[in-house]
Amino acid sequence: MSEKVNLLDLSLEELQDLFAEMNSEKFRAKQVFQWLHKGIEHVDDMTNISKQLRNQLLEKAEIKKIKIVKRFISQLDGTVKYLFELQDGNIIESVLMRYKHGLTVCISSQVGCRMGCKFCASTGVGYIRNLSAGEMLDQVLTIQKDAGERISNIVIMGIGEPLDNYDNLIRFLKLVNHPDGINIGLRHISVSTCGVVPKIIELSRENLPITLSISLHAANDKTRSEIMPVNNKYSIDKLIEACKIYTQATKRRITFEYALISEVNDKPEQAKELAKLLKGMLCHVNLIPVNTVKGTGYVKSKRERIDKFKSILEGYGIETTVRRELGSDINASCGQLRRDVVSNSINKM
């Protein structure tokens, strides 16, 4: 018996094809699509669809909802961290952040990650599988329903490398942006990558006005390869070349993320090296005080070192910001909770 399709994975056009197979009216597909994007949990919740048609639909499809396992709320700034369980029992994380301009969610794109960045909490518990577009979408839907407020911005910077799950990522972007769905503007969506060069070039051809964030974290191959194994495959020169192709094709500014690690990549001469690397590019730099993750040995830079790094970049004409630290009392960086859960499960075996 073939597995039922997850309705949350389907585009409106695919739903129309599904209803055509059932010899039903085309407009029913739009009704179902709208219900799904309201965050309903069961096909029977679609009150304007007949019971007979719902039963037909259930023979072919289902709504594979994720489940909130734990919710952690920061007493400092209201940031909420969610631990979700997928239908197959796998665990992922998402974060809800509150800003003056609205609510932002940071979602995961994979169960685990195979990139192996040394400072990342997702490293060490391994890659299991890609998330489907519907599982990515459902993180947004579930958090929006739980918060009782509209989500206005999405950051795909949680567990996983989005460009390593390229097809599902593109499908998700089109689903979440659909006017008959939750209709979040693509300009309000950021996709973060550690630098999968061929996919950056492919993304430049998609005509999607998202914000692309590059996890750079070093300005030379020696340092970057030590902390980011992906650099052994795609060197900084190749990465910067791909970024220039992206900005030329899209006319969109790239954000370079730079996690400042004490005595690893936070020295003044490294700031100058970074400034020279990025000079003349359509970009800005977002400095991130690195999260202390058990077992990595990495420590965040002191505030005066962060400020000095920022001032050097700005002196070279590079627009630079320092990321505001949110949810520090609940370990709000993605991967930390899942790492603890998976590690504890392994230790109990």
Side-chain angles (χ1 to χ4, degrees), residues 47-164:
T47 52
N48 58 350
I49 306 293
S50 72
K51 180 69 173 174
Q52 181 183 353
L53 191 52
R54 278 181 269 149
N55 287 340
Q56 275 185 273
L57 190 57
L58 283 169
E59 289 175 10
K60 296 176 175 288
E62 61 185 324
I63 306 173
K64 296 184 179 180
K65 294 291 290 182
I66 61 176
K67 183 172 71 176
I68 299 173
V69 177
K70 287 184 180 177
R71 184 194 294 104
F72 299 83
I73 304 173
S74 170
Q75 299 306 304
L76 301 175
D77 49 47
T79 297
V80 185
K81 186 160 190 177
Y82 292 89
L83 198 62
F84 288 122
E85 183 179 346
L86 306 175
Q87 288 268 317
D88 61 3
N90 276 305
I91 299 293
I92 58 168
E93 295 174 36
S94 305
V95 180
L96 171 67
M97 297 163 284
R98 296 180 179 274
Y99 295 96
K100 289 178 182 176
H101 57 262
L103 301 188
T104 295
V105 290
C106 178
I107 67 168
S108 295
S109 56
Q110 295 177 312
V111 181
C113 184
R114 53 177 141 221
M115 296 299 132
C117 299
K118 299 289 177 63
F119 53 86
C120 181
S122 296
T123 299
V125 290
Y127 165 84
I128 296 176
R129 67 172 177 85
N130 286 329
L131 294 183
S132 74
E135 289 171 324
M136 295 171 71
L137 173 66
D138 202 22
Q139 292 170 70
V140 183
L141 295 174
T142 302
I143 292 173
Q144 182 167 268
K145 187 174 182 180
D146 187 63
E149 297 178 56
R150 176 172 167 76
I151 302 299
S152 53
N153 297 275
I154 299 171
V155 181
I156 309 169
M157 200 181 286
I159 297 170
E161 162 55 56
L163 298 191
D164 191 36

Side-chain angles (χ1 to χ4, degrees), residues 223-255:
T223 303
R224 194 167 193 264
S225 293
E226 286 172 1
I227 60 177
M228 300 183 72
V230 69
N231 198 74
N232 293 313
K233 187 169 185 179
Y234 306 115
S235 67
I236 287 179
D237 284 349
K238 290 178 181 175
L239 176 57
I240 295 300
E241 183 183 349
C243 289
K244 288 178 179 177
I245 290 169
Y246 184 88
T247 56
Q248 287 166 5
T250 65
K251 308 296 187 260
R252 299 280 293 165
R253 184 178 72 165
I254 284 179
T255 295

Side-chain angles (χ1 to χ4, degrees), residues 184-253:
I184 295 177
L186 291 174
R187 293 178 187 274
H188 295 274
I189 300 176
S190 295
V191 175
S192 177
T193 175
C194 67
V196 185
V197 166
K199 295 301 180 183
I200 292 172
I201 295 170
E202 192 173 343
L203 185 62
S204 73
R205 304 185 191 114
E206 296 282 357
N207 195 30
L208 299 171
I210 58 163
T211 297
L212 181 64
S213 295
I214 305 291
S215 295
L216 188 59
H217 310 314
N220 64 71
D221 285 324
K222 183 178 183 300
T223 303
R224 194 167 193 264
S225 293
E226 286 172 1
I227 60 177
M228 300 183 72
V230 69
N231 198 74
N232 293 313
K233 187 169 185 179
Y234 306 115
S235 67
I236 287 179
D237 284 349
K238 290 178 181 175
L239 176 57
I240 295 300
E241 183 183 349
C243 289
K244 288 178 179 177
I245 290 169
Y246 184 88
T247 56
Q248 287 166 5
T250 65
K251 308 296 187 260
R252 299 280 293 165
R253 184 178 72 165

Side-chain angles (χ1 to χ4, degrees), residues 314-345:
E314 289 176 333
Y316 278 84
I318 307 293
E319 187 178 329
T320 307
T321 53
V322 178
R323 179 183 293 173
R324 184 175 144 216
E325 294 180 76
L326 294 174
S328 58
D329 57 330
I330 57 169
N331 289 335
S333 66
C334 271
Q336 288 177 300
L337 284 177
R338 178 180 178 270
R339 182 186 177 116
D340 291 342
V341 169
V342 174
S343 297
N344 288 339
S345 298

